[in-house]
Amino acid sequence: MIVVGGGPTGLMLACELRLHDVHVVVLEKLTEPTRQSRGQGLHTRSVEMMDQRGLLDRFLAVSEKFQVGGLFGGIVKPWPDGLDTAHPYGVATPQPVTERLLEERAVELGAEIRRGCEVVGLSQDEDGVDVELGNGGAPASGGVAGAGGTHLRSRYLVGCDGGRSTVRKLLGVGFPGEPATVETLLGEMEVTEDPATIAAVVEEVRRTQLRFGVAPGEDGVCRVVVPADGVAEDRSSAPTLEEFKKQLRAFAGTDFGVHSPRWLSRFGDATRQAERYRVGRVLLAGDAAHIHPPTGGQGLNLGVQDAFNLGWKLAAEVAGWAPEGLLDSYHAERHPVGARVLDNTRAQITLLGADPGAAALRELFAKLMDFEEVNRYVTGMITAVGVRYDFGEGHDLLGRRMRDVRLERGRLYELMREGRGLLLDRTGLLSVAGWADRVDHVVDAGEELDVPAVLLRPDGHVAWVGEDQQDLLDRLPRWFGAATG
């Protein structure tokens, strides 16, 4: 399996595939890990996923928990009561740290990471995918070195190579949407102004300009965000420190004495989504499949969640037990989720505007979010705990991910570390005979589970609810293929 792109999406996918013994080569064109930290943490659903795979303790060891309910369009409200999760928090983790932790896990599991490898050509046939590299494909990052060369072949390939995805372009997949109309500068740099003055100035500026901020970080380095002067013709080029100073002076009347930048970048409010997430044996995930403004901090999380949905399905195809249509369900399930994120970021950009209409809309929306059910809905949307896939009519749990319920033998998520399906059975009368190589059967009468039994897919979404054995046998093949033995 070839994964193009060594960011959070590609690395999460590599981890998921290796859980099922799929040979994985990750091709990353950068020769060194990036220092840029566009993504600042994991929302609740991503926290749950890390716990399901035994990675959460690694994140908590280097991160702080946070609780911000209704983080929507610059409107901050208290964390809502009754959010359907046993992990009611996010984790503040800079993107380079997230990538390091996921890369370490991927290598532990046996993934091969090759840096300095840029894909420049792509073709596929009925049996596999051929890629052409722009260099010899140097191995790195502790992975097992593969044979050098400019061509590789794999049964499947997933493009996780960002918003300017080479894989998507080589496939010829349309990427419709809206171009950027505003641009924002983002970077980390040192400042000479004292923190109290910075805080006072930022508070005043943000009364009218919510796309402005100077946040203190480690070692005296601040994260600076400020509206740009228009949209750059070449948005792939990094801004200069002088551009930051000019825009800081324009909005704050001072540049705070910024100097010694760690990294500088720009982002816009472009909103686009790939028409298809799959073309034959090539698939798209993360920013290669969708781009949107970073409002609400959803981008990194959306990509990691794409990988969590896709990994077990690809592994099933490789292992030969995938039922017909399983791999196509990746697009069917994740494309609508991506579309909804694009829509809510469009709404947030409107709320962040500096004109009187946006200010009035923001005031109205803030009042609406004082209603607990509104706050809970918006928080569930941003954190992705509200995601429900369309599995057809049935129990209210059907299609939703199962929260981490307490059981007599511990916690549900502790039982999901291997990435297999799971029948959680309170009756003790059911059986998954014929699927035991793909589905674990746990009999447990934990009181938090208020239904007789649930069948969970490897990604934790509920595939069946009930207590009738024949009904279960009718549902198992849809997600886990034909019975064996």
Side-chain angles (χ1 to χ4, degrees):
M1 184 76 63
I2 294 174
V3 175
V4 182
T9 301
L11 293 169
M12 188 73 201
L13 180 59
C15 290
E16 288 297 288
L17 291 168
R18 283 303 304 151
L19 281 179
H20 301 276
D21 295 323
V22 177
H23 179 247
V24 181
V25 176
V26 178
L27 304 178
E28 169 55 55
K29 69 178 180 179
L30 296 179
T31 57
E32 298 291 338
T34 180
R35 297 173 62 188
Q36 294 192 11
S37 184
R38 290 176 175 252
Q40 287 295 291
L42 303 179
H43 282 313
T44 300
R45 178 55 187 144
S46 298
V47 169
E48 291 180 338
M49 286 163 31
M50 297 308 166
D51 192 18
Q52 285 176 257
R53 296 300 185 257
L55 291 170
L56 182 55
D57 286 346
R58 302 190 190 196
F59 279 86
L60 293 178
V62 294
S63 312
E64 297 291 333
K65 294 181 180 180
F66 67 86
Q67 278 191 331
V68 182
L71 181 62
F72 192 85
I75 300 169
V76 179
K77 295 293 180 179
W79 189 267
D81 293 330
L83 195 67
D84 182 31
T85 181
H87 298 274
Y89 56 86
V91 174
T93 313
Q95 183 169 332
V97 177
T98 295
E99 292 185 7
R100 174 176 61 81
L101 294 175
L102 291 177
E103 182 170 335
E104 288 174 355
R105 180 55 175 161
V107 171
E108 286 175 10
L109 292 169
E112 181 181 344
I113 315 293
R114 297 189 189 182
R115 293 195 173 273
C117 294
E118 183 175 7
V119 172
V120 297
L122 174 68
S123 63
Q124 61 175 312
D125 53 38
E126 292 183 358
D127 300 316
V129 185
D130 291 289
V131 296
E132 179 183 355
L133 305 180
N135 54 40
S141 192
V144 179
T150 57
H151 292 83
L152 291 175
R153 182 171 174 82
S154 175
R155 291 180 62 183
Y156 290 92
L157 179 145
V158 185
C160 305
D161 51 339
R164 298 182 178 89
S165 170
T166 298
V167 172
R168 186 187 66 242
K169 293 173 183 176
L170 290 171
L171 281 177
V173 171
F175 203 43
E178 301 86 42
T181 59
V182 296
E183 189 170 273
T184 306
L185 306 182
L186 173 67
E188 290 184 352
M189 58 204 74
E190 297 181 31
V191 300
T192 56
E193 188 62 82
D194 69 275
T197 299
I198 293 174
V201 172
V202 169
E203 182 180 5
E204 181 62 30
V205 175
R206 283 183 60 83
R207 293 181 188 274
T208 57
Q209 183 50 260
L210 292 174
R211 289 167 50 222
F212 181 94
V214 181
E218 296 180 354
D219 302 324
V221 176
C222 287
R223 183 179 177 89
V224 178
V225 56
V226 60
D229 183 14
V231 178
E233 291 186 10
D234 182 8
R235 296 193 53 249
S236 63
S237 63
T240 64
L241 181 62
E242 190 55 42
E243 286 182 74
F244 272 84
K245 290 182 176 181
K246 176 184 174 182
Q247 293 308 106
L248 285 169
R249 290 193 293 266
F251 285 91
T254 174
D255 61 16
F256 303 110
V258 295
H259 65 94
S260 305
R262 299 289 179 88
W263 56 268
L264 306 174
S265 68
R266 64 177 86 242
F267 64 86
D269 63 338
T271 306
R272 299 184 181 276
Q273 185 174 29
E275 292 176 333
R276 293 179 289 170
Y277 283 14
R278 179 189 179 191
V279 178
R281 291 179 172 269
V282 182
L283 300 102
L284 301 171
D287 288 353
H290 39 68
I291 60 170
H292 54 82
T295 46
Q298 299 169 91
L300 183 153
N301 290 271
L302 183 60
V304 169
Q305 291 156 22
D306 285 346
F308 206 63
N309 181 284
L310 176 59
W312 69 277
K313 297 174 181 178
L314 267 177
E317 289 285 344
V318 172
W321 59 258
E324 183 178 358
L326 181 66
L327 196 52
D328 286 330
S329 73
Y330 167 64
H331 171 94
E333 293 172 4
R334 294 305 296 175
H335 195 276
V337 172
R340 289 195 292 271
V341 171
L342 266 61
D343 281 344
N344 85 52
T345 56
R346 288 185 181 104
Q348 291 187 73
I349 285 294
T350 299
L351 288 171
L352 289 170
D355 59 278
L361 184 62
R362 193 161 55 245
E363 181 180 359
L364 173 61
F365 203 87
K367 291 178 179 178
L368 290 174
M369 288 180 59
D370 286 333
F371 292 96
E372 187 70 17
E373 58 267 37
V374 176
N375 189 7
R376 185 163 51 247
Y377 174 82
V378 172
T379 303
M381 176 176 63
I382 295 295
T383 61
V385 300
V387 169
R388 182 181 189 180
Y389 300 138
D390 184 6
F391 292 174
E393 296 183 0
H395 194 279
D396 185 60
L397 285 175
L398 195 65
R400 300 186 185 278
R401 97 280 178 266
M402 175 67 71
R403 64 184 174 88
D404 187 22
V405 298
R406 289 190 298 269
L407 305 170
E408 291 181 348
R409 64 174 61 190
R411 297 188 296 115
L412 172 62
Y413 287 0
E414 293 172 336
L415 304 177
M416 304 187 74
R417 301 287 160 83
E418 302 303 316
R420 292 160 52 86
L422 174 66
L423 175 65
L424 186 55
D425 177 12
R426 295 187 68 194
T427 73
L429 303 175
L430 300 172
S431 171
V432 292
W435 289 271
D437 58 329
R438 286 152 273 171
V439 181
D440 293 326
H441 182 196
V442 175
V443 176
D444 195 298
E447 294 183 358
E448 281 196 37
L449 184 67
D450 58 359
V451 293
V454 292
L455 176 66
L456 302 180
R457 305 191 317 184
D459 59 0
H461 281 259
V462 178
W464 174 83
V465 181
E467 56 185 329
D468 182 77
Q469 178 66 36
Q470 185 57 53
D471 192 29
L472 173 62
L473 293 176
D474 291 341
R475 184 53 62 100
L476 279 163
R478 175 178 177 181
W479 299 111
F480 299 102
T484 59

